[in-house]
Amino acid sequence: MPTPHDSPSSTALPPTMRHVGLTAPGGPENLVIAEGPLPVPGPEDLLIRVEAAGVNRPDVMQRKGLYPPPPGASPILGLEVAGEIVAMGAAVEGFALGERVAALANGGGYAQYCAVPAGQALPIPAGMDAATAAALPETFFTVWANVFQMADLVEGETFLVHGGTSGIGTTAIQLANAFGAQVYATAGSAAKCEACLGLGAKRAINYREEDFQAVIAAETQGRGVDVILDMIGASYFERNIASLAKDGRLAIIALMGGATAEKVSLAPIMMNRLRVMGSTLRPRTATEKQAIRDDLIDNVWPLVEAGEVAPVLHAVLPFEEVAQAHRLMEAGDHIGKIVLTL
């Protein structure tokens, strides 16, 4: 069986690596530092020596046993990394050993080494540190795919994002603003609302004190917004539909408020020609993910390289504090991304 050392193009590699293991599905205390073999990159893969790994809500779900990895993916948690290419498959083109990249992983990011499809890797902008770069892939892939590719947000339109201070939310506010949309965001505290405004939102709505449907109606003179990016699901569905303008689009990417919307009238969808769509990122094919990556390079990376948009970092913790990173994620008090460094 081939090993990373047998890769057509590689540097000297150790026989084993440290990674985050899971003793059993459950709480953060079940996350432990373990040792095991390096992943073997396939013909179209890069092997990355990980310098930093992003922490995302799907990691929490996987830890709990609620989000199993897709077939063929590493069982190790972690969906985004930044680091140095140390080996490449025979079919890889356009990358070089020693190049530093940020990459969307199908799994395996909480480790010293991670194999990722080359089509899911992006060059780290000059001068950007690994922790910041590791916070890029998951949120930028997700926002671009859902808000711009699927929901077709364009300059001059209005946009509402729920969870405005999450990693997804902070990215969505910045990108929508950069591409000329008028942005609204919901968040759960005055401090979080201030953060949304600082990132470019025209109006931030404290959902603990205000009804976002009423605020959107007032802000848009009853018209509604053109696009909504929603992570809540069922409990917001009816109000989301009521907050959309004619020809509006609702993109659902998570179900934190439930998966079943009961007794919801479909009439507004018909009368206002609304589009309701949903997606998940991890199960997409390598070809689909590469198409998102290519779009990011063409349309978004110039903004990242110019410093016009950037991840918001809430906490950067050492690899050994992975349990604390998960506790921070579950507490929901963070503004921006949580990152582990190795």
Side-chain angles (χ1 to χ4, degrees):
M1 179 177 177
T3 70
H5 304 270
D6 301 322
S7 173
S9 185
S10 66
T11 59
L13 300 171
T16 62
M17 68 175 185
R18 298 169 73 226
H19 65 88
V20 173
L22 183 62
T23 58
E29 66 277 3
N30 292 354
L31 297 170
V32 297
I33 304 300
E35 190 157 326
L38 274 64
V40 178
E44 298 180 343
D45 291 345
L46 305 174
L47 183 66
I48 297 171
R49 180 179 61 79
V50 178
E51 299 172 28
V55 176
N56 294 282
R57 195 161 293 278
D59 303 342
V60 172
M61 294 175 62
Q62 183 175 336
R63 188 202 74 220
K64 292 179 176 180
L66 303 175
Y67 192 50
S74 170
I76 297 171
L77 274 63
L79 298 175
E80 59 185 347
V81 298
E84 177 189 359
I85 299 172
V86 294
M88 299 186 294
V92 172
E93 298 179 349
F95 291 95
L97 286 181
E99 183 177 354
R100 295 179 70 248
V101 295
L104 183 73
N106 299 329
Y110 291 9
Q112 288 181 303
Y113 293 86
C114 181
V116 302
Q120 295 167 208
L122 294 145
I124 295 178
M128 182 176 286
D129 62 48
T132 304
L136 287 165
E138 176 74 13
T139 58
F140 278 69
F141 270 75
T142 299
V143 171
W144 188 261
N146 287 279
V147 176
F148 295 92
Q149 288 185 334
M150 289 177 57
D152 302 318
L153 182 69
V154 297
E155 183 178 1
E157 290 192 315
T158 48
F159 171 64
L160 168 64
V161 57
H162 293 299
T165 54
S166 65
I168 296 290
T170 54
T171 300
I173 292 170
Q174 291 182 78
L175 287 181
N177 190 58
F179 283 95
Q182 190 171 91
V183 182
Y184 302 93
T186 62
S189 71
K192 288 186 173 184
C193 286
E194 281 297 317
C196 292
L197 295 174
L199 291 168
K202 178 189 177 188
R203 173 73 152 85
I205 305 160
N206 186 339
Y207 64 80
R208 300 185 193 278
E209 299 176 355
E210 301 176 285
D211 175 6
F212 76 82
Q213 179 184 338
V215 174
I216 291 298
E219 287 283 329
T220 63
Q221 293 75 51
R223 177 185 178 275
V225 294
D226 297 296
V227 174
I228 298 175
L229 181 64
D230 177 54
M231 312 167 197
I232 307 302
S235 63
Y236 274 15
F237 186 77
E238 199 161 13
R239 283 186 287 163
N240 279 334
I241 292 298
S243 298
L244 284 170
K246 196 174 291 291
D247 295 310
R249 292 86 74 193
L250 169 62
I252 302 170
I253 59 169
L255 303 169
M256 295 173 65
T260 304
E262 299 179 358
K263 298 180 180 179
V264 174
S265 173
L266 302 181
I269 298 175
M270 299 167 62
M271 291 188 294
N272 292 319
R273 301 190 299 268
L274 305 182
R275 281 192 280 152
V276 178
M277 61 202 80
S279 78
T280 54
L281 183 60
R282 195 175 190 184
R284 293 190 187 217
T285 67
T287 300
E288 290 170 331
K289 291 175 184 175
Q290 182 168 341
I292 302 170
R293 190 281 307 266
D294 292 347
D295 250 11
L296 286 172
I297 287 177
D298 290 342
N299 298 289
V300 176
W301 238 236
L303 300 174
V304 176
E305 290 171 337
E308 295 179 29
V309 297
V312 175
L313 296 185
H314 176 79
V316 178
L317 300 173
F319 184 57
E320 293 77 11
E321 294 183 21
V322 60
Q324 176 61 15
H326 274 234
R327 291 186 186 101
L328 282 174
M329 174 64 71
E330 289 186 279
D333 296 327
H334 56 288
I335 295 175
K337 297 280 293 188
I338 300 165
V339 175
L340 299 170
T341 55
L342 286 82

